[in-house]
DNA sequence: AATCTAATTAGATTATAGTCTAAATAGGTG
DNA sequence: CACCTATTTAGACTATAATCTAATTAGATT
């Protein structure tokens, strides 16, 4: 859960998530939507992935990213719904 | 919205929010729940406040923090619900 | 196998965040 | 008004994050 909220803290990563809600996209397609270098975008992808917010599959030599909506929903639901003395760090 | 997600990125600040869901609390009460100094806690409060996630009122010489649940809900709802090409930075 | 394309990793730099101790502020209270 | 209590601000230090260029990997194609 910590990793999810850290991932969500950067505006570019939230925009990547918005894009992936419309459907899976390759690293290159996503990178082209932002004015950042591909290595920089790659580190953003890595953070989303390490929070399990996205999954990857390979198609020829492009990597396709897709959103794990359930992970996002679960993290936000815990923050909103769950009780006041629960351990937040799991 | 940026400020909200930055505020949510730190586990201590999420725990503060959990506490405030149970009701308003003074700066000192909150600070005593964590193994951090009061100045450090104060900077966490300041971030929550600058994201408008909490409000303050003074009672004698203690400052009472309370949660602005609607701000939290709105930010999370935007992330979950709103369309794939919306500007995320407003 | 040499080469091309897509993407990531390495390494360096700069910026931002988190933390502390010490000092300052702002209201109450004797 | 001098002091006490609660909290914040200042200033310094350390750690982490974001970004870039250059180099590397991994698979596909000729």
């Amino acid at each position: 859960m910590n990793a999810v909220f850290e991932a969500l803290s950067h505006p570019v990563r939230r925009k990547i998530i918005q894009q992936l809600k419309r459907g899976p996209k390759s690293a290159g397609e996503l990178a082209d939507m932002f004015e950042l270098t591909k290595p920089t975008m790659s580190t953003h992808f890595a953070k989303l992935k390490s929070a399990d917010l996205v999954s990857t599959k390979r198609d020829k030599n492009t990597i396709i990213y897709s959103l794990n909506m359930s992970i996002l929903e679960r993290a936000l639901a815990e923050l909103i719904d769950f009780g006041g003395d629960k351990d937040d760090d799991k």
Side-chain angles (χ1 to χ4, degrees), chain A residues 1-10 13-14 47 50-51 53:
Chain A
M1 183 165 184
N2 214 359
V4 172
F5 282 102
E6 268 174 38
L8 294 176
S9 70
H10 197 290
R13 290 191 293 262
R14 291 198 303 278
K47 292 213 175 187
S50 87
L53 280 167

Side-chain angles (χ1 to χ4, degrees), chain A residues 48-81:
Chain A
L48 290 168
K49 197 171 176 186
S50 87
D52 202 30
L53 280 167
V54 302
S55 305
T56 53
K57 76 169 197 217
R58 177 176 278 274
D59 175 26
K60 296 184 177 173
N61 54 5
T62 77
I63 307 279
I64 307 292
Y65 282 90
S66 50
L67 179 61
N68 294 338
M69 193 62 172
S70 61
I71 299 290
L72 179 61
E73 284 171 345
R74 199 170 310 151
L76 303 195
E78 280 185 26
L79 190 64
I80 288 277
D81 299 327

Side-chain angles (χ1 to χ4, degrees), chain A residues 12-45:
Chain A
V12 164
R13 290 191 293 262
R14 291 198 303 278
K15 287 180 190 167
I16 292 169
I17 288 172
Q18 297 300 337
Q19 287 302 323
L20 292 180
K21 281 204 282 190
R22 315 186 75 187
K25 291 196 174 42
S26 72
E29 284 178 306
L30 287 167
D32 289 345
M33 297 173 169
F34 298 86
E35 304 208 319
L36 292 169
T37 64
K38 287 178 185 194
T40 295
M41 291 300 292
S42 197
T43 71
H44 287 308
F45 301 152

